[in-house]
Amino acid sequence: MSEPALKIVIVARDQSSHVQSAQRKLSKILSEKEGIELVATLTTSDETIGDQDVDVALVVGGDGAILRACRWFENEQIPILGVNLGRLGFLAEIAEDEVEVILDDLVERRFTIVSHLMFECVHRHANGEESRYHGLNEAAILAGASLSLIDIELSINGTEVTTFSGDGLIVSTPVGSTAHNLSAGGPILRQDLRAFVVTPICPHTLTVRPIVDRADAEYRLTSDHVPDGVMLVVDGQIRVPFSSGDEVIVREADISFQLLRVEGYDFYGTLHRKLGWDGQPRYRRSRIPRKEH
């Protein structure tokens, strides 16, 4: 008995010309493929995904588009296959011209769906108000426009850890470890680990180093003296002012990001390609002849 048609929705909410051009091309390819049912194409005019019965969301753009999509899905996470139109693309692994190549894999279900840690970020303002955000990469407090060092106190599960002085602090998931965390000198974590990494940005004290701890712990960030211009940033896309007396709590979310991986694509293979590990120079002994004495 043959498999039922794979129900796919295309998510192309970036209105830039290259994304919409790719969306139109992919829509034609998918609609003509036997064994695939193109349920809908969602753009910025769609406020919600609605009650669509969908197996896979084909997200067009890059990692940023995937970050926006998984927050947009909220409690109804759909397995995402990212089509990369950008540069690095640690999550959007499939290039536009590779989609036709993998269609048979999709129809025959030759893929895996891997659950990845998402976080909930609770921002408790000094005035008593509270905001909540979901994220996939990281929550960060950044000195930004303040142009000043900031002191951020960290506690994990109620235990005081230390006060970080520097340009900010990042609390990252394993998926986000190859984003801002990596550029700040933090470690790369395998994407399916259940952990958070806390990474200081340009710490004033050289003995301060990144910390990796459990995903089921609660991370609390506070600061008593915050200059104007400091921001709380979630996934590089949500930016809100962070003020004296505010606190930020980061913890594991009740939802998980669902990443679809086709056979032949794996995490370390992606690192090799995206970070150029295959192209690292192999140092040899100098070929310059020694001078005779």
Side-chain angles (χ1 to χ4, degrees):
M1 184 176 179
S2 61
E3 293 272 8
L6 188 72
K7 297 179 180 179
I8 295 180
V9 61
I10 294 177
V11 180
R13 305 192 76 227
D14 184 334
Q15 289 301 113
S16 60
S17 59
H18 72 292
V19 170
Q20 293 306 312
S21 174
Q23 173 266 121
R24 289 189 291 271
K25 178 181 176 182
L26 293 172
S27 295
K28 184 175 185 299
I29 291 171
L30 294 179
S31 61
E32 294 175 350
K33 178 65 177 178
E34 185 177 353
I36 288 179
E37 178 185 345
L38 181 58
V39 175
T41 298
L42 305 177
T43 62
T44 50
S45 61
D46 299 285
E47 295 184 2
T48 67
I49 193 170
D51 297 325
Q52 309 278 4
D53 181 16
V54 177
D55 298 313
V56 176
L58 194 72
V59 177
V60 183
D63 284 0
I66 291 178
L67 294 176
R68 286 187 290 272
C70 70
R71 285 202 310 273
W72 191 47
F73 293 161
E74 275 290 335
N75 295 325
E76 303 297 330
Q77 291 294 310
I78 301 169
I80 287 177
L81 175 64
V83 178
N84 184 25
L85 303 182
R87 292 176 295 175
L88 283 178
F90 287 98
L91 297 174
E93 296 178 328
I94 307 298
E96 181 184 356
D97 58 2
E98 293 176 321
V99 173
E100 282 191 272
V101 178
I102 66 167
L103 287 183
D104 287 338
D105 290 325
L106 296 180
V107 171
E108 299 297 328
R109 273 62 170 183
R110 291 194 294 266
F111 56 77
T112 57
I113 296 173
V114 187
S115 294
H116 294 302
L117 176 71
M118 291 182 67
F119 65 87
E120 179 186 44
C121 177
V122 181
H123 183 189
R124 292 176 179 161
H125 302 265
N127 63 7
E129 296 179 358
E130 185 174 286
S131 305
R132 292 174 182 264
Y133 311 100
H134 279 127
L136 175 59
N137 267 7
E138 75 280 305
I141 296 177
L142 307 179
S146 72
L147 302 177
S148 303
L149 290 177
I150 53 174
D151 295 330
I152 302 172
E153 298 173 10
L154 169 70
S155 66
I156 300 177
N157 271 354
T159 300
E160 294 182 2
V161 177
T162 190
T163 298
F164 296 90
S165 295
D167 288 346
L169 193 66
I170 304 166
V171 181
S172 169
T173 66
V175 166
S177 69
T178 51
H180 196 174
N181 167 75
L182 181 61
S183 65
I188 296 174
L189 304 185
R190 186 180 174 90
Q191 289 181 331
D192 55 2
L193 288 178
R194 310 301 292 185
F196 285 106
V197 56
V198 180
T199 303
I201 304 172
C202 298
H204 187 255
T205 304
L206 296 180
T207 55
V208 170
R209 291 293 181 265
I211 299 169
V212 178
D213 207 330
R214 298 156 52 118
D216 58 1
E218 184 175 271
Y219 299 76
R220 182 173 177 268
L221 286 63
T222 59
S223 185
D224 293 330
H225 306 288
V226 180
D228 292 337
V230 175
M231 304 291 285
L232 167 64
V233 182
V234 176
D235 283 355
Q237 297 174 347
I238 297 171
R239 302 175 180 88
V240 292
F242 182 82
S243 304
S244 299
D246 287 6
E247 68 176 19
V248 168
I249 294 173
V250 179
R251 56 191 171 217
E252 183 176 7
D254 293 333
I255 55 178
S256 297
F257 167 57
Q258 307 293 310
L259 179 65
L260 186 150
R261 278 218 157 98
V262 180
E263 289 183 357
Y265 290 85
D266 63 86
F267 176 60
Y268 287 111
T270 299
L271 291 181
H272 272 266
R273 293 193 306 275
K274 304 299 183 178
L275 298 181
W277 284 357
D278 287 333
Q280 293 299 310
R282 298 180 182 276
Y283 294 100
R284 300 174 181 174
R285 292 182 178 179
S286 173
R287 295 180 180 177
I288 301 174
R290 293 182 180 178
K291 292 182 180 180
E292 298 293 338
H293 296 283

